[in-house]
Amino acid sequence: MSAHHKLDVCPNCGTHLGHAVNFCPNCGQENHEVKLPLSHIGYEFVESITHFDNKLWNSLKAIFTRPGKMTAEFLAGKRARYVPPARLYVFVSVIFFFLIGKFADRQLEESIHDLTRGDIVTLDMQDLIDDDQLLDSLNAGKLGRKLDLKIPLNEQGLIDLSRRLKRLKPTQLDSMLTKAKVTVTDSTRQKLRSLIELVPDTPRVSTGLDQLFGKRKFKTSEEREAYEEQLSRMPDQQIDSLIRAEGSKPDWFTRKLYRQQSKFSHLGNGENTHELLHAVTKNLSIVMFVLMPFVAVLLLLFYFRRGRLYYEHLIFSVHIHTVLFLLFSIALGITFFSNPALISSVLVWTFWISWLYFLLSIKRVYGQSWGKTIVKFFLLSMMYGLTAMFFLLGALGAGFLTF
């Protein structure tokens, strides 16, 4: 460990100290100078993780060469050679969530670039019409869902599409109906013309989230945006009255969704997505932290006859999640330098490697036969997967409500 400058007088209680005294005999405070340069603090931070005595190297060597060895030896009392579980978890998780944030930002930037470049997607005509009441009155909703259009995801492309639709000739209308496998009659032709008339001059492709709540209709997109901005600042009493007027029951959840409408409505064009991703990533870190003691509970139930304490199962859980973060950190690092077409393959292979690592670790730490280990492993995996999915959906939902 690095040496600290000793003090002659305890700054806490004023007791005179010898220069070699490490702790104050009166109050017990450690005797060292706290006013240190940033370089020294950084040095001590790295030293506290690695101790520069091969602890980090021993931990990584055990992780990558013999799954479960670090946990087995740690529980057997051979702890001095390894970085403590909590410290290693914090160190690796910081790297993992930093990389996953960068990965999400990179994927988002590429998606937004695709949108601004004018990529073409296939949507039905109903997605261009923001007036469900008119669709119902014309009895044209079913027809609108059958008519697929190649839609450019940029504003100018959508405007041009609206103009082209409204200039279609009767023969072109018939061709659209035929492609949609709709019988061409005067009635269907008239319904199609009525649908086209409902398409705004500046269509807006909805994400669907902004339509979940609120039945109010708007003449222009500017009017809608002004209303959504007003919603985000409304006091509870006023927004509750609005919710009741639109036929819903006011509560915290509904109130929050109404206030988020302005953010929901802009997700489709790339706005607010950074904030959403960061909120979900933050919640994900909390979810993974909560899952560790939960996995320890499952291990305690599955191996209660082994006579192990909950603390021992928790150590195993912390180590497994640390390895999971470490493997995916390596995979995420690889994706930054690999062909984009290979990203999904890298992540899928990392998942299967992590799954196999979990199996081998359980076998080494708990020492049961392969038959019992495999059965318990599959049961644990299913229970963990279902619970993780539940928590991840919660993290996603909380992200949508708080971003």
Side-chain angles (χ1 to χ4, degrees), residues 132-202:
D132 294 336
Q133 290 180 350
L134 271 176
L135 281 171
D136 293 339
S137 66
L138 293 171
N139 195 23
K142 187 176 180 180
L143 176 60
R145 288 189 292 272
K146 289 183 177 180
L147 295 166
D148 290 336
L149 299 171
K150 299 293 184 181
I151 298 177
L153 289 179
N154 60 61
E155 184 175 353
Q156 187 56 50
L158 289 168
I159 292 172
D160 293 340
L161 174 65
S162 176
R163 290 173 181 170
R164 287 198 305 272
L165 285 173
K166 293 176 181 180
R167 291 198 300 262
L168 289 178
K169 298 177 181 179
T171 54
Q172 292 171 312
L173 295 177
D174 292 348
S175 177
M176 285 185 67
L177 291 170
T178 302
K179 283 185 179 180
K181 297 181 180 179
V182 175
T183 304
V184 179
T185 65
D186 290 339
S187 175
T188 55
R189 192 182 295 118
Q190 182 57 42
K191 280 186 180 180
L192 177 54
R193 178 62 69 186
S194 299
L195 277 173
I196 292 173
E197 291 302 322
L198 292 178
V199 176
D201 293 336
T202 306

Side-chain angles (χ1 to χ4, degrees), residues 25-236:
N26 184 46
C27 67
Q29 177 169 286
E30 188 175 1
N31 178 26
H32 66 76
E33 177 62 71
V34 295
K35 297 178 180 179
L36 301 171
L38 183 61
S39 59
H40 189 90
I41 294 173
Y43 175 87
E44 288 200 339
F45 173 74
V46 175
E47 185 184 39
S48 69
I49 296 171
T50 65
H51 282 205
F52 292 115
D53 58 2
N54 290 328
K55 280 193 173 186
L56 184 60
W57 165 249
N58 289 334
S59 299
L60 293 175
K61 182 180 177 182
I63 286 172
F64 288 113
T65 59
R66 303 184 69 184
K69 177 185 176 182
M70 182 169 61
T71 305
E73 293 200 339
F74 194 90
L75 295 179
K78 301 175 182 179
R79 305 178 182 181
R81 69 185 69 177
Y82 300 115
V83 179
R87 188 176 295 168
L88 185 62
Y89 172 83
V90 171
F91 180 66
V92 174
S93 65
V94 167
I95 297 173
F96 170 71
F97 285 107
F98 171 77
L99 289 174
I100 203 170
K102 290 296 182 184
F103 175 79
D105 284 342
R106 182 186 179 191
Q107 296 301 307
L108 177 61
E109 290 295 338
E110 291 178 359
S111 298
I112 293 174
H113 175 69
D114 290 342
L115 291 179
T116 56
R117 192 181 59 198
D119 276 11
I120 305 296
V121 298
T122 301
L123 296 173
D124 58 57
M125 185 178 288
Q126 188 174 350
D127 292 321
L128 296 177
I129 301 169
D130 188 18
D131 199 327
D132 294 336
Q133 290 180 350
L134 271 176
L135 281 171
D136 293 339
S137 66
L138 293 171
N139 195 23
K142 187 176 180 180
L143 176 60
R145 288 189 292 272
K146 289 183 177 180
L147 295 166
D148 290 336
L149 299 171
K150 299 293 184 181
I151 298 177
L153 289 179
N154 60 61
E155 184 175 353
Q156 187 56 50
L158 289 168
I159 292 172
D160 293 340
L161 174 65
S162 176
R163 290 173 181 170
R164 287 198 305 272
L165 285 173
K166 293 176 181 180
R167 291 198 300 262
L168 289 178
K169 298 177 181 179
T171 54
Q172 292 171 312
L173 295 177
D174 292 348
S175 177
M176 285 185 67
L177 291 170
T178 302
K179 283 185 179 180
K181 297 181 180 179
V182 175
T183 304
V184 179
T185 65
D186 290 339
S187 175
T188 55
R189 192 182 295 118
Q190 182 57 42
K191 280 186 180 180
L192 177 54
R193 178 62 69 186
S194 299
L195 277 173
I196 292 173
E197 291 302 322
L198 292 178
V199 176
D201 293 336
T202 306
R204 169 177 153 181
V205 179
S206 171
T207 61
L209 291 169
D210 53 320
Q211 302 296 329
L212 286 175
F213 288 83
K215 303 178 179 62
R216 183 170 299 195
K217 300 302 176 183
F218 305 92
K219 295 180 180 178
T220 64
S221 59
E222 290 77 11
E223 183 182 345
R224 182 188 182 95
E225 289 176 3
Y227 170 74
E228 290 169 345
E229 182 64 25
Q230 184 183 5
L231 269 179
S232 65
R233 297 194 301 267
M234 277 187 185
D236 289 350

Side-chain angles (χ1 to χ4, degrees), residues 232-370:
S232 65
R233 297 194 301 267
M234 277 187 185
D236 289 350
Q237 186 176 2
Q238 187 176 354
I239 205 167
D240 285 352
S241 299
L242 176 63
I243 293 170
R244 290 190 189 96
E246 295 187 347
S248 300
K249 183 179 179 181
D251 53 38
W252 178 88
F253 182 72
T254 309
R255 195 180 299 127
K256 191 71 176 175
L257 283 174
Y258 267 74
R259 287 203 172 103
Q260 290 289 86
Q261 278 192 63
S262 60
K263 293 182 178 180
F264 290 158
S265 62
H266 291 93
L267 287 175
N269 56 16
E271 296 180 32
N272 300 322
T273 43
H274 281 288
E275 291 79 0
L276 175 59
L277 282 175
H278 292 164
V280 171
T281 302
K282 177 183 176 181
N283 293 332
L284 177 63
S285 65
I286 299 173
V287 165
M288 299 306 295
F289 186 80
V290 171
L291 282 174
M292 285 192 298
F294 173 77
V295 171
V297 171
L298 291 180
L299 291 167
L300 180 64
L301 295 175
F302 276 85
Y303 292 98
F304 69 95
R305 290 184 179 179
R306 310 298 288 181
R308 292 183 181 271
L309 300 174
Y310 175 77
Y311 165 77
E312 297 175 90
H313 300 298
L314 184 60
I315 293 298
F316 177 79
S317 179
V318 172
H319 277 159
I320 281 296
H321 283 85
T322 301
V323 172
L324 178 69
F325 288 171
L326 183 59
L327 292 176
F328 272 94
S329 294
I330 294 171
L332 290 171
I334 292 173
T335 63
F336 289 114
F337 305 99
S338 63
N339 188 321
L342 299 176
I343 290 177
S344 59
S345 298
V346 170
L347 296 178
V348 169
W349 273 105
T350 304
F351 169 79
W352 289 116
I353 291 171
S354 302
W355 206 48
L356 178 62
Y357 192 99
F358 187 26
L359 172 62
L360 297 176
S361 297
I362 289 177
K363 179 68 174 69
R364 182 181 298 277
V365 172
Y366 292 99
Q368 290 189 324
S369 67
W370 273 111

